[in-house]
Amino acid sequence: GVDKAPMSRVEPDQYINDRYQAIEDRLKVVRKRLNRPLTYAEKVVYGHLDDPEGQEIKRGVSYLNLRPDRVAMQDATAQMAVLQFIASGLPQTAVPSTIHCDHLIEGTTAPQADRANAFGGKADLELANKQNKEVYDFLSTAGSKYGIGFWKPGSGIIHQIVLENYAFPGGLMIGTDSHTPNAGGLGMCAIGAPKVIGVKLTGKLSAWASPKDVICKVAGILTVKGGTGAIVEYFGPGLDNISCTGMGTICNMGAEIGATTSMFPFNRRMYDYLVATAREPAAKLAEAFSEHLRADEGCEYDQVIEINMSELEPQINGPFTPDLANPLSQLADNARREGWPLEVSAGLIGSCTNSSYEDMMRAASVAKQALAAGIKAKVPFAISPGSEQIRATIERDGLIEIFEKVGGTVLANACGPCIGQWKRTEVAKGVPNTIVTSFNRNFAARNDANPATHAFVTSPEMVTAFAIAGDLSFNPERDTLVGADGKEILLQPPHGDELPPRGFDPGEETYQAPGGHAATVKVDPASQRLQLLTPFQPWDGRDLEEALVLIKAKGKCTTDHISMAGPWLKYRGHLDNISNNMLIGAVNAENGKVNSVKNQLSGEYGGVPDVARAYKAAGQPWVVIGDENYGEGSSREHAALEPRHLGARAVLVKSFARIHETNLKKQGLLPLTFANPADYDKVGPFDRISIKGLTSLTPGKPLTVVGKRPDGTTYDFPVNHTFNDNQIVGDSDMEDYGFEYSDEEL
Ligand code: F3S
């Protein structure tokens, strides 16, 4: 007999026991059908099948209908998700869900001389509370009404909070953020219908090497595309030598190789973490259930790579891409050869990737040695704690004091500079410079909007060493620093406790439990940032007749061309306002210009969104014509919502990026491809487009486009669609779409 294990401390009346029972029941059915050993990822995914008897199960092929245990959303993506939920008319969420306020808080850093008390987390948080008040009010009141737990600004970063409170071995979670797989550190699985890549870990990390180096090395091997469509499952004798939070770091950054998710099987380190975060019943239950929480003997992976951690040295990945792995011993040479600025201009640690107690302690152990020798950080050094619990614990244990003494600034418990929320006052835009971070992404301009900033990702302890040395060619394993007394010191390898010896300090209570359906959701009708959604007009059941071509786009048209980011992000919760950026980056094939198309009703040229609005007001349907790989880039849902909102009916292109195509379907638009790509040239910018065959839409059967030129002559050609049976009958629960639409690019 094992005790009942609650799903989390804030959901005391729901039990993991019931979930495990369901997994066991489903696996019995699946094992009979497949009759082969299963990987751990397969056990968790198949253990959540909606219909284990009837579901087609071909690894890496089948779309799976799954029943997840949890949903987690961050504040940037939650706005539209919650607005859509409200528009659905459902009274409460069916799956336990939470909202996390972490992306909208800006972190401020300054040159050494100006670093006074005015900086830091408190001040940044106060400002964010002012600037984002209406968004926070909306999310908190809607969360309360619809049964969604709300983590207030200052509570911390979504993935850290999930690991501390909600993740459990064997669970299935869907998140609206690309680093949701972080929860794989506690044996949890997020998302889809993937293949399984096995990573065999042997040996033991030593000296300056850390779990971050394992994933930086994997990224170097697999590249940013290598994990696409796959779950990366770790196995091997080395597993037990990595902390649970270290496994979280590895799973987190699996997103950088395109993996659907990454997972570790249940082990003692997870057990200890669950106990340390006040979830002992869950730890005991997982232990009793552990045969289902690891791979079967003899299971097969689609691909296997092996890493001997004993031979692993620190990896510094970058600049501009997370798969450019530079082993520490080669970094200086690589930098000189490539001309990367050697002078380090800032060091940033923390983020959802690396802000465990162990990370902070290892970083502080480096800082402490510098302090003892009278040395301070040469450059701005910022710390973003992943949660209020981490912040309070490292404050109590004296680590914050060490960071501040060495010249560091502790920012708010939020994403801050990782998501570009960085008020960087010490380096001007356009100036080439090098920064080192313990984050996961380092694309150009991500952190400080400066495309000339060379960002490198590595472990927090390496970042700390670089911030102290101020030099990218510094190798702490070999090079010495000069102390205040003129003596040379060699930094000793960092050390850190896996878990705080005195236990965690929870800090301030930052969680709001749902209130109930009687609560009122706060949305000011005059708001410029939030707008409740009204249902789109349903299809009239007829073929499309004589739609106008709003724009015939030429060349690359990514989701950024369709719905630009940057300043527009603040309108994510206001569909009508953000629609003013619709297709303003696309090149009009007719005149080679961006955001200039002819309004065919008035004969005058105007901006794309304005002309679309004019058509909508006139009740005139319109379509978009596009080139190759239309909608590539990200899963940005607004790129599909906006055309639907402004009256589009179909998007007809040479080829689609898959996720965007799915998003268009989900919003009720017709994504179509030319059966013969050369037909793209047949369509003139002022033609009228009819689409025949919609009333008998059948999977795999082409439709016919009839084009009418301004002179009245016509032409026709076949177009393909990829609607399957479920999508055509309008399966409203969306499960057949997979979960790709919720994986935002942030
Ligand atoms: Fe936030 Fe950066 Fe992680 S944006 S969720 S800290 S990747």
Side-chain angles (χ1 to χ4, degrees), residues 74 102-103 157-159 177 179 252 351-353 414-416 418-419 439-441 446 746:
Q74 38 93 332
D102 58 1
H103 274 57
I157 306 171
I158 177 167
H159 312 308
D177 185 275
H179 293 99
N252 177 299
S351 89
C352 65
T353 323
C415 301
C418 176
I419 187 64
F439 307 161
N440 41 33
R441 292 204 166 144
R446 174 168 171 99
L746 288 172

Short mmCIF file of all heavy atoms in Angstrom, two decimals, residues 74 102-103 157-159 177 179 252 351-353 414-416 418-419 439-441 446 746, ligand 1:
data_model
loop_
_atom_site.label_atom_id
_atom_site.label_comp_id
_atom_site.label_asym_id
_atom_site.label_seq_id
_atom_site.Cartn_x
_atom_site.Cartn_y
_atom_site.Cartn_z
N GLN A 74 2.50 30.56 -20.29
CA GLN A 74 3.14 31.79 -19.80
C GLN A 74 2.32 33.00 -20.24
O GLN A 74 1.47 32.90 -21.11
CB GLN A 74 4.61 31.86 -20.20
CG GLN A 74 4.95 31.34 -21.60
CD GLN A 74 4.97 32.39 -22.65
OE1 GLN A 74 4.28 33.39 -22.55
NE2 GLN A 74 5.75 32.14 -23.69
N ASP A 102 5.76 35.65 -16.30
CA ASP A 102 7.22 35.71 -16.29
C ASP A 102 7.84 36.44 -17.48
O ASP A 102 8.94 36.95 -17.40
CB ASP A 102 7.81 34.29 -16.20
CG ASP A 102 7.36 33.39 -17.36
OD1 ASP A 102 6.61 33.87 -18.23
OD2 ASP A 102 7.74 32.21 -17.38
N HIS A 103 7.10 36.52 -18.60
CA HIS A 103 7.73 37.03 -19.81
C HIS A 103 7.70 38.55 -19.95
O HIS A 103 8.39 39.10 -20.78
CB HIS A 103 7.06 36.43 -21.05
CG HIS A 103 7.64 35.10 -21.45
ND1 HIS A 103 7.70 34.03 -20.59
CD2 HIS A 103 8.20 34.69 -22.60
CE1 HIS A 103 8.27 33.00 -21.22
NE2 HIS A 103 8.57 33.38 -22.44
N ILE A 157 9.80 31.79 -13.14
CA ILE A 157 9.68 31.38 -14.54
C ILE A 157 8.92 30.06 -14.63
O ILE A 157 9.18 29.12 -13.86
CB ILE A 157 11.08 31.24 -15.17
CG1 ILE A 157 11.88 32.54 -14.98
CG2 ILE A 157 10.96 30.90 -16.65
CD1 ILE A 157 13.33 32.43 -15.37
N ILE A 158 8.01 30.01 -15.54
CA ILE A 158 7.09 28.88 -15.74
C ILE A 158 7.75 27.51 -15.52
O ILE A 158 7.24 26.69 -14.78
CB ILE A 158 6.43 28.99 -17.14
CG1 ILE A 158 5.52 27.81 -17.46
CG2 ILE A 158 7.44 29.19 -18.26
CD1 ILE A 158 4.61 28.04 -18.68
N HIS A 159 8.89 27.27 -16.15
CA HIS A 159 9.44 25.90 -16.12
C HIS A 159 10.02 25.53 -14.77
O HIS A 159 10.03 24.37 -14.38
CB HIS A 159 10.47 25.74 -17.24
CG HIS A 159 9.95 26.24 -18.54
ND1 HIS A 159 8.74 25.82 -19.05
CD2 HIS A 159 10.42 27.18 -19.40
CE1 HIS A 159 8.50 26.46 -20.18
NE2 HIS A 159 9.49 27.29 -20.42
N ASP A 177 4.82 27.15 -24.30
CA ASP A 177 6.15 27.73 -24.40
C ASP A 177 7.10 26.65 -24.86
O ASP A 177 6.97 25.49 -24.48
CB ASP A 177 6.59 28.26 -23.03
CG ASP A 177 7.92 29.00 -23.12
OD1 ASP A 177 8.97 28.34 -23.06
OD2 ASP A 177 7.88 30.23 -23.30
N HIS A 179 10.02 25.82 -24.13
CA HIS A 179 10.89 25.11 -23.19
C HIS A 179 10.12 24.29 -22.16
O HIS A 179 10.69 23.84 -21.15
CB HIS A 179 11.90 26.07 -22.57
CG HIS A 179 12.86 26.56 -23.60
ND1 HIS A 179 12.72 27.78 -24.21
CD2 HIS A 179 13.91 25.96 -24.20
CE1 HIS A 179 13.67 27.92 -25.13
NE2 HIS A 179 14.40 26.83 -25.15
N ASN A 252 15.25 20.94 -20.99
CA ASN A 252 14.88 22.30 -21.38
C ASN A 252 15.47 22.64 -22.74
O ASN A 252 14.79 23.07 -23.67
CB ASN A 252 15.41 23.26 -20.30
CG ASN A 252 15.17 24.72 -20.60
OD1 ASN A 252 15.64 25.24 -21.59
ND2 ASN A 252 14.43 25.39 -19.73
N SER A 351 17.64 32.09 -15.50
CA SER A 351 16.66 31.74 -16.54
C SER A 351 16.08 30.37 -16.24
O SER A 351 16.53 29.68 -15.33
CB SER A 351 17.26 31.75 -17.95
OG SER A 351 17.79 30.48 -18.28
N CYS A 352 15.12 29.98 -17.05
CA CYS A 352 14.47 28.69 -16.80
C CYS A 352 15.44 27.54 -17.01
O CYS A 352 15.27 26.46 -16.49
CB CYS A 352 13.25 28.51 -17.70
SG CYS A 352 13.63 28.41 -19.46
N THR A 353 16.48 27.78 -17.79
CA THR A 353 17.42 26.72 -18.13
C THR A 353 18.33 26.36 -16.97
O THR A 353 18.69 25.20 -16.79
CB THR A 353 18.33 27.18 -19.30
OG1 THR A 353 17.55 27.96 -20.19
CG2 THR A 353 18.93 26.02 -20.03
N ALA A 414 11.94 36.22 -13.10
CA ALA A 414 11.21 36.29 -14.36
C ALA A 414 12.18 36.06 -15.51
O ALA A 414 13.37 35.91 -15.29
CB ALA A 414 10.54 37.66 -14.50
N CYS A 415 11.65 36.05 -16.72
CA CYS A 415 12.48 35.76 -17.88
C CYS A 415 13.51 36.87 -18.16
O CYS A 415 14.64 36.60 -18.54
CB CYS A 415 11.60 35.56 -19.10
SG CYS A 415 10.44 34.19 -18.88
N GLY A 416 13.08 38.12 -18.02
CA GLY A 416 14.00 39.24 -18.17
C GLY A 416 14.81 39.19 -19.46
O GLY A 416 14.27 38.97 -20.55
N CYS A 418 16.50 37.09 -20.96
CA CYS A 418 16.42 35.91 -21.82
C CYS A 418 15.42 36.12 -22.96
O CYS A 418 15.63 35.66 -24.07
CB CYS A 418 16.03 34.68 -21.01
SG CYS A 418 15.81 33.23 -22.06
N ILE A 419 14.34 36.86 -22.68
CA ILE A 419 13.34 37.08 -23.73
C ILE A 419 13.46 38.49 -24.31
O ILE A 419 12.56 39.01 -24.95
CB ILE A 419 11.91 36.77 -23.18
CG1 ILE A 419 10.83 36.81 -24.25
CG2 ILE A 419 11.54 37.71 -22.05
CD1 ILE A 419 11.00 35.76 -25.31
N PHE A 439 21.57 30.99 -20.51
CA PHE A 439 20.25 30.76 -21.10
C PHE A 439 20.32 29.64 -22.13
O PHE A 439 21.32 28.91 -22.18
CB PHE A 439 19.73 32.05 -21.78
CG PHE A 439 19.74 33.27 -20.89
CD1 PHE A 439 19.70 34.55 -21.45
CD2 PHE A 439 19.80 33.16 -19.51
CE1 PHE A 439 19.70 35.69 -20.65
CE2 PHE A 439 19.81 34.29 -18.69
CZ PHE A 439 19.77 35.55 -19.27
N ASN A 440 19.29 29.50 -22.95
CA ASN A 440 19.26 28.41 -23.92
C ASN A 440 19.38 28.90 -25.36
O ASN A 440 19.87 28.21 -26.21
CB ASN A 440 17.99 27.59 -23.74
CG ASN A 440 16.78 28.45 -23.46
OD1 ASN A 440 16.69 29.57 -23.96
ND2 ASN A 440 15.85 27.97 -22.66
N ARG A 441 18.88 30.11 -25.64
CA ARG A 441 18.86 30.59 -27.02
C ARG A 441 19.82 31.75 -27.18
O ARG A 441 19.96 32.57 -26.27
CB ARG A 441 17.46 31.06 -27.39
CG ARG A 441 16.52 29.91 -27.45
CD ARG A 441 15.33 30.18 -28.33
NE ARG A 441 14.71 28.89 -28.56
CZ ARG A 441 13.40 28.69 -28.64
NH1 ARG A 441 12.58 29.70 -28.56
NH2 ARG A 441 12.93 27.48 -28.84
N ARG A 446 18.42 38.47 -29.80
CA ARG A 446 17.39 37.97 -28.88
C ARG A 446 17.42 38.68 -27.53
O ARG A 446 16.38 39.06 -27.00
CB ARG A 446 17.55 36.46 -28.66
CG ARG A 446 16.57 35.93 -27.59
CD ARG A 446 16.53 34.43 -27.55
NE ARG A 446 15.78 33.92 -26.41
CZ ARG A 446 14.52 33.51 -26.44
NH1 ARG A 446 13.83 33.59 -27.54
NH2 ARG A 446 13.92 33.05 -25.36
N LEU A 746 8.59 31.54 -28.38
CA LEU A 746 9.34 32.29 -27.37
C LEU A 746 10.36 31.42 -26.66
O LEU A 746 10.10 30.31 -26.35
CB LEU A 746 8.38 32.87 -26.34
CG LEU A 746 7.56 34.02 -26.91
CD1 LEU A 746 6.49 34.44 -25.93
CD2 LEU A 746 8.43 35.21 -27.23
FE1 F3S B 1 11.65 32.55 -20.09
FE2 F3S B 1 13.84 32.40 -21.49
FE3 F3S B 1 12.91 30.33 -20.38
S1 F3S B 1 12.03 33.48 -22.06
S2 F3S B 1 10.71 30.60 -20.27
S3 F3S B 1 13.68 32.12 -19.32
S4 F3S B 1 13.73 30.45 -22.41
#
